[in-house]
Amino acid sequence: MRSKSILFSATRALPCAVLAFLMTTSPVHAAAQSYATAVLVEPAGSPEGHSEVRIRFTSPPHFVAHLDRDGRRLAVDVSASDVRGAPAAVTPKGGIVAGVMTQSFTRNGRGLVRILINLRTKVRYSVAARGTDLVVDLQPGDADAIDAKRAALASTPAPGATLSTVGDIRFERSAQAEQVVVRLSPIPRFHTSARDTKTTIVLEQTHLPVALKRLMDVSAYAGRVTAVASYPDPKHPHRAIIEVEHQAGTTFRADRAGNTLVFEFFVPGALPSSITGIARDGGIARRIRTVSVQSAPTGIPKITTGNEEADEHLTESSTPDARAEAVTPALFGQQQGNRYSGRRIDLDLKDADIHNVLRLLADVGRVNVVTADNVQGTVTIRMRNVPWDQALDVILQAKSLGMVRQANMIRVAPLADLEKERDLAIARAKQEVQLAPVETRLIPVSYASAADVQQRARELLSERGSIAVDERTNVMIVRDVAGNINQIEELTRALDTQTPQVLVEARIVEATSRYLRDVGIQWGGDATFSAATANPTGLAFPNSVGLVGGASDSSTPTAGLSPDVNRVDNPNFAVNLPAAVGTGQGGAIGLTFGSIDNTINLAVRLSAAEASGMLRILSSPRVLTLDNREARIAQGTLIPFSQVSAQGVQTTFQEAKLQLLVRPHVTADGSVSMKVKINRDEPDFNQTSARGDPTILKREAETELLVMDGHTAVIGGIYTRNTGRNLDQVPFFGDIPILGLLFQRRRASDNRGELVIFLTPRIVNRAEALGH
């Protein structure tokens, strides 16, 4: 009798239990992506050294903060967020804060922003969300001393309360669930709150030691749980908080084993179905078993419970809310399949009237059931651990019955009757279409071609409908029933959107550097030994000797050998290796030595030239075009060429131009796919043909690529370098160390060229064409 009375009370409290269960277990919609836009570090006034770090987000942030590096760095993790506009690093001058770093990560497919605040000294801190700002308040002080003070306060519990101490917090993982195990003595009262990706466990009248104030990153296990953070509540010294970050769609339950609380996180339906829920009464977690249904002797089913453990805790002093909380999880278990979602029950029926069975299932599923007059018969069935809606489906199939469900109303009738009703409804709908009045409506088309939209709209016409196009006004004339015309109008609005326009800008950057060095020498002279010059050799043979340099000719440069004339007719050079010097290029110096009677003369001319230069050319063609339409822009010159043939001399023209040829396509995500060809041709008058016609320097790039809107891509580049070293010398003499320099001419050159092509597409009407 006691069990029946308890069950009856719990059944009466069922609506409250359903509401409480749905409020505590309904998932929270995923938070919208938030973006960090600015980081501000500023002094907050007195007392001296007090600083404030403010990080601005686009929506209220959800964060977890902890100290590391012996209290010299504060780490704040903001979930479901990213960085957009906030600087990566901020280094203030002086004060407590040495630097602030803002980094973005991806964890389990969701964004995470980590803010690292490096400190010059140990501080006291508080982190709070003020609107869309995350405010970190920092004051000089020893955080360990503050924790010790809080621990001392926690050692003195409030009057009438027992203070619990956390002995250990650890993470364990099994094949079906992941567990956060908390060892306490004794077990305190606790309550939980769940969001889409975070579950918060608040332990009342609990002291958390400093060693257990930490953040455990368990994402390496690649499970549902990614991080576990534990810290004391800054507002209540006798309260500990455990935050568990997990993937969306994860549910959890609490259990007690001695002085240990176990919080299991799993996918709904992953655990064995014999355990359907967890009830909490004053912070004590208990397992709830399934509800079974048996047939009473009178043929009317009744509900009994086999939950002995729950019965022990549901004493006369228990409140109705506690009773309802204990029974609710058992009545609303999770379904592993996708089709059935009702709570699981056990059925054991023998010759039970079908009307009583439907009434039972209607009561269990909290729905309204209306039964047709020709529904009759009995049901014998035995089911274990099945959802109530699946049991209803099986029973109806066994009795050749069907149901029509609208919201929480279910109408049960024989299948034959429901099929007749469906056939009649189809016939009635066809008759309504045939009898419906025909309307004529003008549908204007703004951006697309009305003829193109017409081809797609024909499929929506009925047998009585027609469609025509007025090309002058680009309007479709539709004649059909009102429903079909409305569908054609919706189709037209969906297709008649602005065509994306893309502005494509190319940058062709050319850089050329040139270096040239030329060092040469010329020297020689003449000597005469004869009786005419009064210096004969004194020998019969040879009585006279003449020595003259023979390396000079009419084109030998001789400027600088005489202060009187710029041209020496016969310099008599023995070594003639001059550098190419002249107006605006290099320099030369000449030296002459001779005797009084000019019997011995020596002339030396040194010449050297060095040149270096840099040239930079920037070309930036740009063109605007529609999506999937080819565009071209060009600028250049036409160079005439003479051709001699049998018909005479003919003049043809060759183009040397700068050209951008592009065909863009805007993708659904806002990127731009392009087929592009870029030319930059120019005449080169330094290199000409035999007739004097210039050659054409060609630079060309042709490719296909995908670039995000507004981003710049380097589509190609060419780097060239020409180096040369030339040595002209007199054989044998030029190889003599040191003295060989008098018989050599040295030339060195280094020419470098680099060509880089950049491409930037921009969708000028992105919001109108793409809707984002």
Side-chain angles (χ1 to χ4, degrees):
M1 292 298 294
R2 177 177 177 271
S3 299
K4 293 181 179 179
S5 62
I6 293 174
L7 178 63
F8 181 72
S9 300
T11 306
R12 287 191 305 173
L14 185 59
C16 297
V18 173
L19 182 60
F21 177 78
L22 294 177
M23 291 177 63
T24 57
T25 61
S26 60
V28 181
H29 295 288
Q33 183 83 349
S34 179
Y35 297 94
T37 59
V39 177
L40 303 176
V41 181
E42 56 185 5
S46 60
E48 186 67 18
H50 184 191
S51 298
E52 182 181 272
V53 179
R54 184 181 295 266
I55 302 94
R56 292 180 177 173
F57 289 84
T58 56
S59 60
H62 304 288
F63 61 90
V64 176
H66 67 282
L67 282 171
D68 58 1
R69 292 189 179 178
D70 196 23
R72 295 301 182 95
R73 186 175 74 174
L74 177 64
V76 183
D77 291 342
V78 182
S79 59
S81 59
D82 199 351
V83 177
R84 178 181 292 176
V90 176
T91 305
K93 297 181 179 179
I96 301 175
V97 180
V100 181
M101 295 182 61
T102 307
Q103 300 171 326
S104 62
F105 303 90
T106 301
R107 176 183 292 172
N108 299 325
R110 298 180 64 86
L112 173 71
V113 172
R114 174 161 294 175
I115 302 152
L116 299 177
I117 303 176
N118 295 317
L119 306 169
R120 292 188 173 94
T121 181
K122 293 186 177 181
V123 298
R124 295 176 294 169
Y125 76 95
S126 63
V127 185
R130 300 177 184 172
T132 59
D133 290 356
L134 181 65
V135 180
V136 182
D137 190 18
L138 303 169
Q139 296 184 7
D142 192 347
D144 295 337
I146 297 173
D147 293 337
K149 181 178 179 180
R150 290 178 178 174
L153 293 175
S155 63
T156 305
T162 303
L163 189 65
S164 179
T165 303
V166 180
D168 187 20
I169 301 175
R170 65 180 185 272
F171 174 79
E172 297 180 356
R173 187 167 183 263
S174 63
Q176 296 177 330
E178 298 170 40
Q179 299 176 345
V180 177
V181 182
V182 184
R183 181 166 55 85
L184 305 104
S185 179
I187 296 294
R189 294 175 58 88
F190 68 93
H191 57 88
T192 62
S193 62
R195 288 183 291 179
D196 186 37
T197 58
K198 181 185 293 185
T199 298
T200 304
I201 305 166
V202 180
L203 304 174
E204 302 288 350
Q205 295 299 322
T206 302
H207 165 58
L208 182 69
V210 178
L212 295 180
K213 186 180 68 173
R214 60 192 178 186
L215 172 64
M216 293 187 293
D217 188 351
V218 296
S219 58
Y221 291 100
R224 308 290 298 183
V225 178
T226 58
V228 180
S230 55
Y231 57 92
D233 192 338
K235 298 182 180 180
H236 298 82
H238 303 298
R239 178 184 293 174
I241 298 178
I242 301 175
E243 290 186 348
V244 182
E245 293 187 9
H246 49 74
Q247 297 180 6
T250 303
T251 187
F252 80 99
R253 67 182 185 185
D255 196 4
R256 172 184 176 181
N259 289 333
T260 302
L261 286 179
V262 179
F263 299 91
E264 290 184 306
F265 295 83
F266 54 92
V267 180
L271 294 183
S273 57
S274 60
I275 300 174
T276 60
I278 296 298
R280 294 185 295 275
D281 183 11
I284 305 299
R286 302 185 303 278
R287 299 181 184 271
I288 303 299
R289 301 176 185 174
T290 59
V291 176
S292 62
V293 180
Q294 297 179 350
S295 178
T298 59
I300 300 177
K302 65 178 182 179
I303 300 178
T304 61
T305 180
N307 188 4
E308 298 83 3
E309 185 177 359
D311 292 341
E312 295 176 0
H313 292 279
L314 292 175
T315 60
E316 296 298 330
S317 61
S318 300
T319 63
D321 292 340
R323 297 173 184 268
E325 187 179 3
V327 177
T328 298
L331 297 179
F332 294 89
Q334 297 291 337
Q335 164 63 22
Q336 296 182 12
N338 296 326
R339 181 179 177 185
Y340 303 105
S341 58
R343 70 162 179 97
R344 295 179 175 272
I345 60 175
D346 294 346
L347 291 174
D348 190 2
L349 307 172
K350 182 179 180 182
D351 296 333
D353 185 69
I354 184 65
H355 294 275
N356 292 331
V357 175
L358 293 177
R359 290 175 58 193
L360 169 66
L361 294 178
D363 184 64
V364 172
R366 310 291 295 178
V367 295
N368 301 314
V369 176
V370 178
T371 308
D373 295 338
N374 54 352
V375 174
Q376 58 185 358
T378 59
V379 176
T380 300
I381 189 171
R382 180 180 177 87
M383 293 183 178
R384 297 292 183 188
N385 192 27
V386 294
W388 72 267
D389 47 355
Q390 185 180 10
L392 174 61
D393 197 6
V394 172
I395 292 173
L396 295 180
Q397 291 180 7
K399 304 302 293 183
S400 297
L401 300 174
M403 65 177 177
V404 178
R405 183 164 186 172
Q406 296 178 351
N408 66 335
M409 180 71 70
I410 297 177
R411 182 169 67 90
V412 178
L415 284 175
D417 295 348
L418 295 178
E419 291 176 355
K420 290 180 181 179
E421 292 179 2
R422 184 184 61 182
D423 294 340
L424 290 175
I426 294 174
R428 190 181 305 110
K430 291 182 178 179
Q431 291 179 358
E432 290 178 356
V433 173
Q434 295 295 330
L435 297 177
V438 177
E439 299 180 4
T440 301
R441 193 177 304 176
L442 300 180
I443 302 178
V445 181
S446 301
Y447 305 104
S449 172
D452 295 339
V453 179
Q454 177 192 21
Q455 302 299 326
R456 293 164 176 78
R458 289 186 185 278
E459 301 177 358
L460 301 179
L461 292 174
S462 65
E463 298 177 355
R464 304 165 59 193
S466 63
I467 185 171
V469 172
D470 181 23
E471 296 182 357
R472 185 183 69 85
T473 58
N474 203 37
V475 172
M476 293 192 304
I477 306 172
V478 184
R479 180 176 176 82
D480 205 342
V481 296
N484 290 355
I485 295 180
N486 292 336
Q487 294 181 10
I488 294 175
E489 207 166 20
E490 292 180 2
L491 176 64
T492 303
R493 283 196 298 266
L495 297 179
D496 188 24
T497 58
Q498 286 192 21
T499 303
Q501 298 186 76
V502 183
L503 176 64
V504 181
E505 179 182 1
R507 286 187 179 91
I508 306 172
V509 181
E510 298 178 70
T512 304
S513 64
R514 173 176 171 269
Y515 173 79
L516 175 65
R517 184 179 63 185
D518 191 357
V519 178
I521 187 172
Q522 296 169 279
W523 63 269
D526 60 88
T528 303
F529 301 92
S530 65
T533 57
N535 57 348
T537 61
L539 301 176
F541 181 85
N543 182 262
S544 61
V545 177
L547 182 63
V548 180
S552 58
D553 53 27
S554 60
S555 62
T556 297
T558 60
L561 293 181
S562 173
D564 301 324
V565 295
N566 292 331
R567 176 70 184 174
V568 178
D569 294 334
N570 190 13
N572 294 330
F573 287 139
V575 175
N576 191 14
L577 298 174
V581 297
T583 303
Q585 181 177 2
I589 185 173
L591 303 174
T592 57
F593 308 90
S595 61
I596 295 176
D597 54 358
N598 290 326
T599 58
I600 299 177
N601 296 302
L602 176 64
V604 178
R605 184 175 181 271
L606 302 177
S607 57
E610 181 173 317
S612 63
M614 179 174 292
L615 176 65
R616 184 174 183 268
I617 302 175
L618 174 62
S619 305
S620 181
R622 63 184 68 182
V623 64
L624 179 66
T625 182
L626 291 175
D627 184 27
N628 287 323
R629 300 296 175 89
E630 186 177 276
R632 180 199 308 265
I633 186 171
Q635 178 189 15
T637 60
L638 293 176
I639 303 174
F641 288 90
S642 299
Q643 293 182 348
V644 179
S645 62
Q647 289 78 19
V649 179
Q650 298 179 352
T651 303
T652 59
F653 294 89
Q654 178 66 36
E655 288 184 331
K657 62 183 179 180
L658 171 65
Q659 175 181 266
L660 171 62
L661 178 65
V662 62
R663 185 185 183 95
H665 169 63
V666 179
T667 62
D669 61 349
S671 300
V672 182
S673 174
M674 292 177 291
K675 184 176 182 181
V676 60
K677 181 179 180 181
I678 301 175
N679 295 83
R680 188 185 181 280
D681 304 336
E682 62 177 351
D684 185 8
F685 293 95
N686 294 325
Q687 300 180 18
T688 59
S689 65
R691 296 176 176 269
D693 299 327
T695 58
I696 296 179
L697 300 177
K698 295 185 67 65
R699 302 168 184 86
E700 179 178 317
E702 184 175 1
T703 183
E704 295 184 15
L705 71 160
L706 178 66
V707 186
M708 295 182 63
D709 178 27
H711 288 212
T712 301
V714 180
I715 67 172
I718 299 176
Y719 176 79
T720 60
R721 181 179 182 182
N722 298 327
T723 59
R725 297 180 66 88
N726 296 332
L727 177 63
D728 300 331
Q729 66 177 14
V730 177
F732 178 74
F733 295 100
D735 296 330
I736 300 175
I738 301 176
L739 293 179
L741 297 175
L742 300 176
F743 301 88
Q744 296 177 348
R745 176 189 178 189
R746 295 178 177 270
R747 287 175 291 173
S749 63
D750 188 356
N751 297 324
R752 305 183 187 186
E754 185 172 6
L755 171 68
V756 183
I757 302 176
F758 302 88
L759 203 65
T760 304
R762 292 183 177 89
I763 306 175
V764 297
N765 59 340
R766 181 187 181 100
E768 295 81 1
L770 302 181
H772 55 79

